[in-house]
């Protein structure tokens, strides 16, 4: 048994992070402390706690702590634990956004312009973040088309040339450096112009283009003048969409305002880059009962900025917070130079914060009703599901599994998680099948479930697998359900399993539970919940194997063989199940495969026979 009073004597005076747990071992609260001993003791010695903390203390069965070297490390670790475990009594930032950036790969000989969601130290130029992916795409299209910068991912070093350019060249959106059609210096000049514009130099750029337009017109080169005119219009269009809100164009800033309701708070940020507001975004925080505005803003800063890849030079907030200097130190370390967290008392930033707060209040009022409606409906659906399946408790955590493959090969599995009827995307997991050759959904599902449960039973695992589901849903019928039930039984667990079945139109029809079919009406709340879960599981699996294909992970030795293209490669793998089986196949077997002819079969046969011969002779 865990003796709290005895364990309190062992807590050190070091900085660190503590975790409060209930009798089931679930983490219900996470906090940081400059002095662990003093902070943890306060929970059990003081009686002057807010109601939420009083309720939390009643549920503490044990606690753990992690010692850190300093308060900054404790702040980071606290934020990571809150995101990972979503403890019941912590204020939670509900956000999974990863903002897009515009990247110009200046480290390449012929740089390209494209959208990314991660900033790397690779020598490239990054601009952003932009709250809107649509805005990024628009910028890339306009700027890329103005200067004809390439968007392809070819590795161009100037020594190799492709046989023919892509479509962008033919529609006059690229100068085809891949074919050597453009002078290196001219291309670099256009790259520098794009960088200048994105860095806030659009006025100088527009002025320069106007001079060129005027000169072309005076020389009666009306075609060039028209080209410059169109470029000027495009640049002015972008400039008009960005409102100037700061006279200091050299400093990137985030300005933050809040609105606090009864059960949730809305935080809104205006993103200012190069003196212009490039966009805004709002965030919702839950579990805020009895929290002060200062505590809510502090929770937001720690969870948001420890997770974002970009930190601006200045952050403006509406009220001072206890750990402001600590945040400045943390964010300065992350950015690589000094970051200031400021509270404006007057002036432009103070007025801007007042406007942001009004926007946040409006969002909160509109959104709270919709969110509450959705949450209530989800809980009603979960209660309906409990009654339909005759479960002992409402299934608050549901895990759904799906298997997908690339045209019969390269199988992948997905696990999506719904908590309280809402997607918990931070707990989603993907599995690349390791032990199964060929398209075998049953064996693939068996591998996925065994790996998931093994990770969950490993007490040292901190990757989101430690919470076991209240219900498992399989994307399939009796076969998949029976496989899952067998795996669960072999581990000695008692987790109900259902199969999600579809009708002839591949739309969710109902569930299979204990070998019986349960059909729903499409008007039922539980139907809508199951439909969302099934679609999400399938989407997540499809997205994964598309990424595998797009990242060219789907490669094999067959790519080296003459007369074997993508279609024949997939056909052979589908027919024989693996490259090893293809290697051992006879000429007649190979020529009989779908899509193959004798010439292609001879290419494959001779390739592997020559390779075996060469290896033997060495």
């Amino acid at each position: 048994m865990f003796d709290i009073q005895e364990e309190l004597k062992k807590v050190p005076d070091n900085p660190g992070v503590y975790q409060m747990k209930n009798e089931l071992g679930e983490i219900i609260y996470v906090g940081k402390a400059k002095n662990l001993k003093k902070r943890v003791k306060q929970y059990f010695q003081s009686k002057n706690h807010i109601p939420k903390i009083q309720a939390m203390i009643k549920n503490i069965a044990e606690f753990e702590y992690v010692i850190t070297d300093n308060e900054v490390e404790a702040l980071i670790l606290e934020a990571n634990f809150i995101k990972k475990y979503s403890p019941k009594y912590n204020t939670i930032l509900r956000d999974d956004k990863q903002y897009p950036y515009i990247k110009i790969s200046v480290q390449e000989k012929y740089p390209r312009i494209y959208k990314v969601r991660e900033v790397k130290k690779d020598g490239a130029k990054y601009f952003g973040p932009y709250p809107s992916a649509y805005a990024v795409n628009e910028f890339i299209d306009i700027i890329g088309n103005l200067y004809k910068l390439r968007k392809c991912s070819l590795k161009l070093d100037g020594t190799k040339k492709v046989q023919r350019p892509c479509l962008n060249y033919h529609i006059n959106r690229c100068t085809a450096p891949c074919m050597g059609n453009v002078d290196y210096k001219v291309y670099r000049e256009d790259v520098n112009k794009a960088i200048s514009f994105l860095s806030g130099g659009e006025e100088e750029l527009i002025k320069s283009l106007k001079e060129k337009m005027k000169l072309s017109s005076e020389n009666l080169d009306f075609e060039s003048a028209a080209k410059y005119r169109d470029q000027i219009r495009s640049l002015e269009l972008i400039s008009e969409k960005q409102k100037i809100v700061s006279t200091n164009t050299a400093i990137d800033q985030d300005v933050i305002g809040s609105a606090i309701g009864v059960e949730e708070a809305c935080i809104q940020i205006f993103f200012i880059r190069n003196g212009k507001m490039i966009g805004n975004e709002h965030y919702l925080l839950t579990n805020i009962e009895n929290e002060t505005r200062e505590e809510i803003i502090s929770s937001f800063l720690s969870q948001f900025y420890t997770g974002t890849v970009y930190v601006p030079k200045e952050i403006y907030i509406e009220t001072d917070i206890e750990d402001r200097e600590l945040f400045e130190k943390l964010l300065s370390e992350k950015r690589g130079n000094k970051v200031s967290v400021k509270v404006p008392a007057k002036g432009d930033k103070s007025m801007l914060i007042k406007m942001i707060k009004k926007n946040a209040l409006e969002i909160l009022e509109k959104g709270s009703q919709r969110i509450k409606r959705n949450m209530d409906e989800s809980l009603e659906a979960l209660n309906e599901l409990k009654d339909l399946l005759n479960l002992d408790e409402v299934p608050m955590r549901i895990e759904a599994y799906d298997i997908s493959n690339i045209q019969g090969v390269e199988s992948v599995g997905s696990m999506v998680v719904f908590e309280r009827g809402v997607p918990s995307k931070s707990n989603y997991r993907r599995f690349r099948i390791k032990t199964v050759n060929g398209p075998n959904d049953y064996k693939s599902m068996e591998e996925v479930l065994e790996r998931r449960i093994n990770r969950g039973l490993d007490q040292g695992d901190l990757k989101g697998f430690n919470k076991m589901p209240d219900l498992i849903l399989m994307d399939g019928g009796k076969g998949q359900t029976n496989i899952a039930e067998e795996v669960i039984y072999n581990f000695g667990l008692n987790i109900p399993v259902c199969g999600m079945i579809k009708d002839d139109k591949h739309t969710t029809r109902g569930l299979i539970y204990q070998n019986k079919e349960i059909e729903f009406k499409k008007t039922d709340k539980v139907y809508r919940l199951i439909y969302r879960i099934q679609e999400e599981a399938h989407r997540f699996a499809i997205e994964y194997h598309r990424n595998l294909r797009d990242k060219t992970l789907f490669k094999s030795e067959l790519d080296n063989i003459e007369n074997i293209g993508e279609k024949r490669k997939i056909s052979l793998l589908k027919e024989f199940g693996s490259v090893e089986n293809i290697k051992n196949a006879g000429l007649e077997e190979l020529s009989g495969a779908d899509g193959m002819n004798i010439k292609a079969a001879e290419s494959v046969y001779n390739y592997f026979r020559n390779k075996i011969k060469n290896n033997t002779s060495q």
Side-chain angles (χ1 to χ4, degrees):
M1 293 291 292
F2 189 91
D3 189 326
I4 288 178
Q5 296 304 321
E6 283 297 315
E7 294 299 326
L8 284 173
K9 297 175 183 177
K10 303 175 186 177
V11 180
D13 293 314
N14 306 72
V17 174
Y18 55 91
Q19 301 173 352
M20 301 301 187
K21 297 184 175 183
N22 63 15
E23 59 183 8
L24 299 176
E26 297 172 334
I27 297 172
I28 58 175
Y29 188 78
V30 173
K32 68 179 185 303
K34 184 177 181 180
N35 184 310
L36 282 168
K37 182 182 283 292
K38 290 181 180 179
R39 186 73 187 96
V40 176
K41 274 187 174 182
Q42 284 179 356
Y43 288 100
F44 304 98
Q45 294 176 349
S46 174
K47 296 183 180 180
N48 298 320
H49 297 294
I50 62 174
K52 183 173 77 171
I53 297 301
Q54 290 177 7
M56 182 269 291
I57 293 171
K58 291 178 182 177
N59 287 286
I60 297 175
E62 57 181 302
F63 61 81
E64 291 181 357
Y65 52 85
V66 178
I67 298 172
T68 60
D69 289 336
N70 51 60
E71 287 182 86
V72 173
E73 285 187 9
L75 181 63
I76 296 171
L77 190 58
E78 178 198 38
N80 289 337
F81 280 160
I82 291 173
K83 289 175 187 176
K84 188 175 294 182
Y85 299 115
S86 297
K88 181 178 180 180
Y89 295 100
N90 278 99
T91 298
I92 306 296
L93 170 62
R94 299 209 172 277
D95 175 60
D96 293 311
K97 300 181 181 73
Q98 281 187 301
Y99 293 111
Y101 294 76
I102 293 176
K103 177 177 180 178
I104 298 183
S105 54
V106 294
Q107 78 277 21
E108 296 181 305
K109 184 168 185 177
Y110 291 96
R112 56 195 178 109
I113 183 171
Y114 55 108
K115 179 177 68 178
V116 296
R117 292 186 182 272
E118 183 180 1
V119 175
K120 298 179 180 178
K121 293 182 179 179
D122 55 4
K125 291 277 189 181
Y126 292 88
F127 303 90
Y130 295 89
S132 167
Y134 174 81
V136 170
N137 293 334
E138 186 178 38
F139 270 66
I140 290 173
D141 283 343
I142 293 176
I143 295 170
N145 295 341
L146 277 173
Y147 306 113
K148 309 294 186 290
L149 302 187
R150 71 185 185 100
K151 300 181 180 71
C152 67
S153 57
L154 294 175
K155 305 293 183 183
L156 303 182
D157 58 5
T159 59
K160 296 182 180 180
K161 298 178 182 178
V162 300
Q163 293 182 352
R164 58 183 181 182
C166 67
L167 178 63
N168 282 330
Y169 171 76
H170 294 292
I171 61 176
N172 197 31
R173 293 188 173 182
C174 179
T175 51
C178 57
M179 294 191 67
N181 285 0
V182 59
D183 181 75
Y184 169 73
K185 290 183 178 178
V186 172
Y187 189 88
R188 275 286 177 172
E189 285 178 7
D190 287 337
V191 170
N192 290 336
K193 288 176 183 176
I195 292 171
S196 175
F197 177 80
L198 289 168
S199 300
E202 66 274 12
E203 290 182 7
E204 287 297 318
L205 189 55
I206 291 171
K207 182 180 177 181
S208 173
L209 289 172
K210 284 182 177 179
E211 290 174 356
K212 290 181 179 180
M213 180 180 70
K214 182 180 179 182
L215 184 61
S216 296
S217 181
E218 290 173 352
N219 293 333
L220 304 181
D221 185 359
F222 299 115
E223 185 177 346
S224 294
K227 181 187 73 173
Y228 291 130
R229 178 203 62 202
D230 293 340
Q231 290 181 348
I232 291 166
R233 285 177 178 173
S234 296
L235 292 172
E236 287 177 339
L237 179 65
I238 296 178
S239 298
E240 287 172 3
K241 291 184 177 181
Q242 296 179 306
K243 181 182 178 183
I244 296 177
V245 293
S246 176
T247 55
N248 192 342
T249 59
I251 297 179
D252 289 350
Q253 302 164 331
D254 286 355
V255 186
I256 300 171
S258 67
I260 300 176
V262 178
E263 296 181 347
E264 59 189 2
C266 177
I267 301 284
Q268 187 167 56
I269 305 183
F270 276 29
F271 301 96
I272 301 170
R273 303 293 181 261
N274 300 313
K276 292 186 175 181
M277 190 184 78
I278 63 170
N280 62 83
E281 189 58 82
H282 70 271
Y283 307 85
L284 294 175
L285 291 95
T286 56
N287 293 354
I288 64 160
E289 292 86 355
N290 303 116
E291 296 274 349
T292 64
R293 189 178 298 273
E294 291 79 5
E295 289 170 332
I296 289 170
I297 291 174
S298 181
S299 294
F300 172 77
L301 292 179
S302 64
Q303 293 180 57
F304 180 76
Y305 286 107
T306 55
T308 187
V309 294
Y310 180 80
V311 177
K313 184 72 174 173
E314 295 179 348
I315 299 170
Y316 288 87
I317 56 178
E318 62 191 276
T319 184
D320 206 359
I321 55 174
E322 182 180 350
D323 295 324
R324 182 160 62 90
E325 291 182 3
L326 184 60
F327 278 117
E328 288 181 330
K329 186 176 180 182
L330 164 65
L331 299 179
S332 297
E333 289 180 3
K334 186 168 185 177
R335 180 180 167 89
N337 51 51
K338 183 168 177 55
V339 174
S340 299
V341 179
K342 301 181 177 181
V343 184
K346 57 183 179 179
D348 293 342
K349 291 298 185 296
S350 178
M351 295 297 292
L352 184 57
I353 285 178
K354 288 179 181 178
M355 184 187 76
I356 294 172
K357 285 170 64 65
K358 288 181 180 179
N359 288 342
L361 181 60
E362 185 177 355
I363 292 168
L364 190 63
E365 289 175 346
K366 289 181 178 178
S368 60
Q369 294 180 356
R370 176 180 53 81
I371 292 167
K372 188 176 186 305
R373 221 169 26 244
N374 291 341
M375 291 180 67
D376 289 345
E377 184 175 303
S378 295
L379 289 174
E380 286 179 31
L382 290 172
N383 277 289
E384 284 182 25
L385 188 59
K386 170 185 174 292
D387 294 338
L388 279 169
L389 304 180
N390 196 26
L391 303 177
D392 293 332
E393 295 182 353
V394 176
M396 289 301 187
R397 181 183 172 100
I398 297 175
E399 293 180 1
Y401 294 85
D402 188 21
I403 298 293
S404 186
N405 54 68
I406 305 174
Q407 300 187 32
V409 295
E410 198 75 20
S411 293
V412 294
S414 68
M415 176 185 97
V416 301
V417 181
F418 276 61
E419 292 189 331
R420 300 177 70 84
V422 177
S424 178
K425 293 188 178 182
S426 61
N427 286 316
Y428 285 15
R429 294 294 180 268
R430 289 160 168 161
F431 304 84
R432 195 171 182 187
I433 304 304
K434 298 178 179 178
T435 63
V436 182
N437 291 323
N440 188 328
D441 285 0
Y442 290 167
K443 284 292 182 182
S444 297
M445 186 61 75
E446 184 178 11
E447 178 190 326
V448 167
L449 285 172
E450 286 179 350
R451 284 166 60 185
R452 184 266 178 269
I453 294 172
N454 271 321
R455 292 288 296 278
L457 295 176
D458 179 6
Q459 296 301 311
D461 175 65
L462 296 176
K463 300 294 184 182
F465 287 98
N466 59 319
K467 291 182 182 178
M468 286 296 177
D470 302 314
L471 175 67
I472 289 177
L473 297 179
M474 312 297 294
D475 188 51
K478 290 183 179 179
Q480 286 89 343
T481 307
N482 290 339
I483 286 290
E485 288 176 337
E486 185 177 341
V487 172
I488 299 297
Y489 177 80
N490 290 338
F491 276 98
L493 300 174
N494 182 24
I495 302 172
V497 179
C498 292
M500 298 180 288
I501 51 177
K502 296 185 176 182
D503 57 23
D504 296 337
K505 297 180 181 178
H506 298 284
T507 301
T508 302
R509 185 177 89 235
L511 295 174
I512 286 183
Y513 181 55
Q514 297 179 344
N515 288 323
K516 294 180 182 179
E517 287 196 12
I518 303 171
E519 291 196 14
F520 307 125
K521 295 178 182 178
K522 291 190 176 181
T523 55
D524 292 344
K525 291 183 176 66
V526 68
Y527 170 82
R528 291 196 289 270
L529 174 63
I530 299 300
Y531 176 84
R532 287 203 312 273
I533 294 173
Q534 188 169 30
E535 289 299 306
E536 184 70 353
H538 186 61
R539 178 201 65 78
F540 194 57
I542 291 294
E543 180 185 83
Y544 183 34
H545 76 56
R546 279 178 182 162
N547 288 340
L548 289 178
R549 181 183 60 204
D550 294 343
K551 292 176 182 177
T552 64
L553 291 177
F554 182 46
K555 293 290 183 183
S556 75
E557 208 170 359
L558 301 177
D559 295 314
N560 303 323
I561 303 177
E562 189 179 0
N563 299 317
I564 301 299
E566 193 71 17
K567 289 184 179 179
R568 279 177 174 160
K569 178 179 74 171
I570 291 173
S571 178
L572 286 169
L573 287 169
K574 201 170 182 179
E575 178 86 17
F576 294 97
S578 68
V579 173
E580 189 64 30
N581 291 338
I582 296 170
K583 190 184 297 184
N584 297 324
L587 186 60
E588 188 175 343
E589 290 178 281
L590 292 168
S591 61
D594 186 37
M596 295 287 286
N597 55 32
I598 188 63
K599 186 177 180 181
E602 286 176 347
S603 294
V604 176
Y605 185 82
N606 292 334
Y607 173 85
F608 286 117
R609 293 304 171 278
N610 290 334
K611 191 169 184 181
I612 292 170
K613 184 179 178 181
N614 292 335
N615 290 339
T616 304
S617 62
Q618 289 179 356

